[in-house]
Amino acid sequence: MIYLDNAACTRLDEQVLEAMKPYFFDTYAVATSEFGYSMGIDAKEGLERAREGIASKLGANSEEIIFTSSDTESSNTALKGVAWALKEKKGKHIVVLNIEDFPVLNTAKALQKQGFDVTFLDVDAEGFADLEGLKKVITKETVLVSIQQGNQEIGTVQDLKVISEICEEKDVLLHTDATHSFTRLPLNVKEIPVDLITVSAHTIHGPRGIGALYIRKNTPINKFMDGGFQEFNMRAGVENIPGAVGFAKAVDLVTEEETRKIEAMRDRVIEKALSEISDVTLNGSREKRLPQNANLTFHYVEGESVTLHMDMKGFAVSTGSACFSRSLEASHVIRGIGGDHERAHGSVRFTFGRYNRMEDADAAIDAMNEIVTRLREISPLARK
Amino acid sequence: MIYLDNAACTRLDEQVLEAMKPYFFDTYAVATSEFGYSMGIDAKEGLERAREGIASKLGANSEEIIFTSSDTESSNTALKGVAWALKEKKGKHIVVLNIEDFPVLNTAKALQKQGFDVTFLDVDAEGFADLEGLKKVITKETVLVSIQQGNQEIGTVQDLKVISEICEEKDVLLHTDATHSFTRLPLNVKEIPVDLITVSAHTIHGPRGIGALYIRKNTPINKFMDGGFQEFNMRAGVENIPGAVGFAKAVDLVTEEETRKIEAMRDRVIEKALSEISDVTLNGSREKRLPQNANLTFHYVEGESVTLHMDMKGFAVSTGSACFSRSLEASHVIRGIGGDHERAHGSVRFTFGRYNRMEDADAAIDAMNEIVTRLREISPLARK
């Protein structure tokens, strides 16, 4: 089986597990025992080295990074934490992009139910945020803007530099969900003054159950996870040190060379599909897109049929986002870029990771060509 | 080094890692792709088997278990989820025991800041909840009572049967934090009608970063972690399947025989300390206490000095709770049972796990005897 879906990035790297092992079997103490004994101190050092690893990748200071259980928790913390901290001091308005992934989108909707006013900012046909619109919707009551770096489904990469300038000028905090872009695209908080950044290990061959949140120093934010005093008293819970160490190792293992290799596979799939198969639309931008993401609509066929036939041929691909596959609802991302239900249902996403090879990309499009041709022959929707 | 502190339970069992490995390297797909391909379905099956493992240990149905990142998250979900769900329908009053661990205690305090009325229920000198007091404080506005099964520090085990009957009679929901008792003490929801139960893997040689929450069917509860539709749409975030599988394996590995062995070490430490060292007080109950917990106050000495000297002699023990070691504040648990600061500071906790042996227990108390005697010789507080 050749995995060109989410699983292309979720397989754990053996070296990550090796890095975690000492913290399973040798240095397994709770890290918080500052006045305790040697193993507790060693455990804490392991945790702090991992924190430095994540911080330096973002150009941040260690004290600005807290570990969480996932990108979902990081985004819950960012949005709810800032909203609650500022609702009395500043206002109850937040802005999120309408094609955000669920952690941001549905946290914003949860805040809406709690009485916050949420603007779901539009995107253009390629998925880029409406920047003129952004300038207009920010008011004195706006406490947070949340705009992702790269889209989970169509791969569009936002211009965070310009977005951060708008937010700075309007004096409003900016959060970005970098779950799908972290390590694959540059993001340095010294150059781009984002205030909060969500990252996760599970998209870069790291362990499940560990994420992090960058919180710029002095950002007003309430605690989301209450309990103990861990993570600078910003996130309670016994520290998942093996997870944090594994996350830092996963970050270390991503190289520029690998990312270029992944990007070349993406480009091959896009170019081959567009040139060899008829009635194909690229979803998202051709230029500014995540290195690991290709998303194409094969018109007159259903994405679900395609993924099943691809599965039988030994290729795993996705239609819509992984979560959407469950609900069979048309993707809010494809609809966000102006696509209709037909375009959403015919969309197929290819994801590339460390274990993929260029031959896989070629073979996948050859298989797609055969499947799409056959499905169109029997489809009542197809142009004959 | 002999670990008789939290680390006695946090070392991962090699068999747990072996159980997790297939989900790192072979079945690493996202579980939610119901309409997806074979690996996604296998991953989901692994997750559901793990869920059944946790459920059956509690006498629950699988659909009543959601996986979380920790006991902290489980308790946040239980308390905030129920409080938010019922605040308009029923009222804004909750009751928690005053010696609860931080996840419950500080979540209750966070709810207090959000306008909830919280009663911190007293305990007696051994740490047992004031049951007559409980009957009196519950009103028609009470939405939740949260009383732990076994105390994290002094090991006192509450009578959940009687507590659940009081809650049932008063028609109020009951949550219990079973982080330190799960698998070591029986808890079956068919026999004891608790509505919500917090459990965690990290106290039974399972992985960090995974916990679970039992939620009785039809319990009114809001989502705490917003985002995707995972865990019966009750907890968002890509499922930590290796973690869940490791948790279920850790539960499987706990045997009645092992628990009795651990209990025998606990009893040896308590009896040896009380008979061989002068001016020692047992904190908590002699009869109804966690099998793995011994907590003793060695009067006229400081817990911090004792732990440091024990460390030099090759024994890891704790003073107060692990978190308190950080703040050097006197333990709220010892103060809760009527102890003064001196009693709190002189308290030493011993925890026993799979990798301890009876000789360790003996040697630890011999070492304690020597250290306590020496410290008392130089202490201005000591009776000469």
Side-chain angles (χ1 to χ4, degrees), chain A residues 73-348:
Chain A
E73 188 191 327
S74 295
S75 292
N76 271 263
T77 304
L79 270 73
K80 292 175 181 170
V82 168
W84 292 338
L86 291 179
K87 69 177 179 175
E88 260 117 49
K89 286 178 203 149
K90 194 174 180 209
K92 298 185 81 170
H93 178 233
I94 65 172
V95 181
V96 305
L97 207 60
N98 69 351
I99 60 168
E100 290 289 326
D101 206 352
F102 293 129
V104 168
L105 197 71
N106 287 343
T107 298
K109 287 180 183 170
L111 285 168
Q112 223 174 6
K113 280 191 197 150
Q114 290 175 27
F116 286 84
D117 176 24
V118 181
T119 299
F120 297 92
L121 189 70
D122 284 339
V123 295
D124 68 15
E126 292 194 331
F128 293 110
D130 173 7
L131 300 182
E132 288 310 308
L134 177 60
K135 286 179 201 164
K136 278 178 209 146
V137 297
I138 296 173
T139 71
K140 282 185 180 147
E141 305 246 299
T142 310
V143 292
L144 185 69
V145 170
S146 181
I147 294 180
Q148 61 190 183
Q149 187 173 24
N151 186 270
Q152 64 285 356
E153 208 172 320
I154 59 167
T156 302
V157 175
Q158 303 296 330
D159 190 341
L160 284 181
K161 180 82 184 151
V162 172
I163 291 166
S164 69
E165 282 162 7
I166 294 171
C167 290
E168 217 169 29
E169 201 194 299
K170 300 271 185 182
D171 196 25
V172 58
L173 295 169
L174 174 62
H175 165 254
T176 194
D177 178 358
T179 303
H180 296 278
S181 52
F182 183 49
T183 72
R184 296 289 177 204
L185 289 178
L187 182 54
N188 188 312
V189 295
K190 291 199 187 81
E191 289 154 23
I192 301 181
V194 179
D195 301 287
L196 303 118
I197 303 172
T198 289
V199 294
S200 178
H202 79 285
T203 47
I204 50 168
H205 308 288
R208 307 276 174 97
I210 187 86
L213 178 65
Y214 161 77
I215 308 173
R216 183 179 293 279
K217 206 181 163 186
N218 298 326
T219 299
I221 183 167
N222 282 13
K223 216 166 162 174
F224 170 63
M225 190 77 78
D226 286 294
F229 308 113
Q230 296 90 350
E231 300 293 307
F232 315 112
N233 196 18
M234 270 306 306
R235 194 267 182 184
V238 168
E239 298 94 339
N240 180 356
I241 303 179
V245 168
F247 188 3
K249 183 70 185 178
V251 168
D252 259 2
L253 290 172
V254 173
T255 63
E256 190 60 26
E257 191 195 347
E258 176 181 87
T259 302
R260 292 292 79 77
K261 194 192 114 193
I262 284 170
E263 203 167 49
M265 290 188 273
R266 171 199 76 180
D267 291 342
R268 181 73 68 90
V269 157
I270 292 173
E271 278 149 29
K272 212 168 138 79
L274 290 173
S275 65
E276 297 178 7
I277 309 178
S278 62
D279 294 311
V280 176
T281 304
L282 175 68
N283 296 312
S285 161
R286 182 67 195 85
E287 301 303 323
K288 294 179 183 168
R289 72 182 303 136
L290 291 171
Q292 74 272 26
N293 171 292
N295 188 313
L296 300 147
T297 290
F298 298 85
H299 294 279
Y300 317 120
V301 298
E302 295 247 312
E304 275 76 27
S305 301
V306 170
T307 57
L308 280 172
H309 281 86
M310 283 293 274
D311 187 42
M312 288 188 280
K313 279 184 178 288
F315 295 94
V317 294
S318 315
T319 177
S321 78
C323 310
F324 270 121
S325 300
R326 191 161 202 170
S327 64
L328 272 180
E329 258 181 55
S331 153
H332 72 287
V333 176
I334 303 283
R335 283 179 291 139
I337 58 172
D340 56 12
H341 279 247
E342 190 264 342
R343 181 163 165 198
H345 279 305
S347 74
V348 175

Side-chain angles (χ1 to χ4, degrees), chain B residues 79 95-100 104 121-123 127-131 134 138 144-150 157-160 163-164 166-167 173-178 194 196:
Chain B
L79 270 74
V95 182
V96 305
L97 207 60
N98 69 352
I99 59 168
E100 291 289 326
V104 167
L121 189 69
D122 284 339
V123 295
F128 293 110
D130 173 7
L131 300 182
L134 177 61
I138 295 173
L144 185 70
V145 170
S146 181
I147 295 180
Q148 61 189 184
Q149 187 173 22
V157 175
Q158 303 295 332
D159 191 341
L160 285 181
I163 291 166
S164 68
I166 294 171
C167 290
L173 295 170
L174 173 62
H175 166 253
T176 194
D177 178 358
V194 180
L196 303 118

Side-chain angles (χ1 to χ4, degrees), chain B residues 218-292:
Chain B
N218 298 325
T219 299
I221 183 166
N222 281 12
K223 217 166 162 173
F224 171 63
M225 190 77 80
D226 286 294
F229 308 112
Q230 295 90 350
E231 300 293 306
F232 314 113
N233 196 19
M234 270 307 306
R235 195 266 180 181
V238 168
E239 298 94 339
N240 180 356
I241 303 179
V245 168
F247 188 3
K249 183 70 184 179
V251 168
D252 258 2
L253 291 171
V254 174
T255 63
E256 189 59 27
E257 191 195 345
E258 176 181 87
T259 302
R260 293 292 78 78
K261 193 192 114 193
I262 285 170
E263 204 168 47
M265 291 188 273
R266 172 199 75 181
D267 291 342
R268 180 74 66 94
V269 158
I270 292 174
E271 279 149 28
K272 214 169 138 78
L274 290 174
S275 64
E276 298 179 6
I277 309 177
S278 63
D279 293 310
V280 175
T281 304
L282 175 68
N283 296 311
S285 161
R286 183 67 195 84
E287 301 304 321
K288 293 179 183 170
R289 71 183 304 135
L290 290 172
Q292 75 273 24

Side-chain angles (χ1 to χ4, degrees), chain B residues 12-33:
Chain B
L12 196 72
D13 190 302
E14 279 84 356
Q15 295 176 75
V16 169
L17 180 59
E18 288 308 312
M20 293 166 79
K21 273 186 185 169
Y23 296 89
F24 287 144
F25 300 123
D26 304 315
T27 311
Y28 47 85
V30 171
T32 41
S33 324

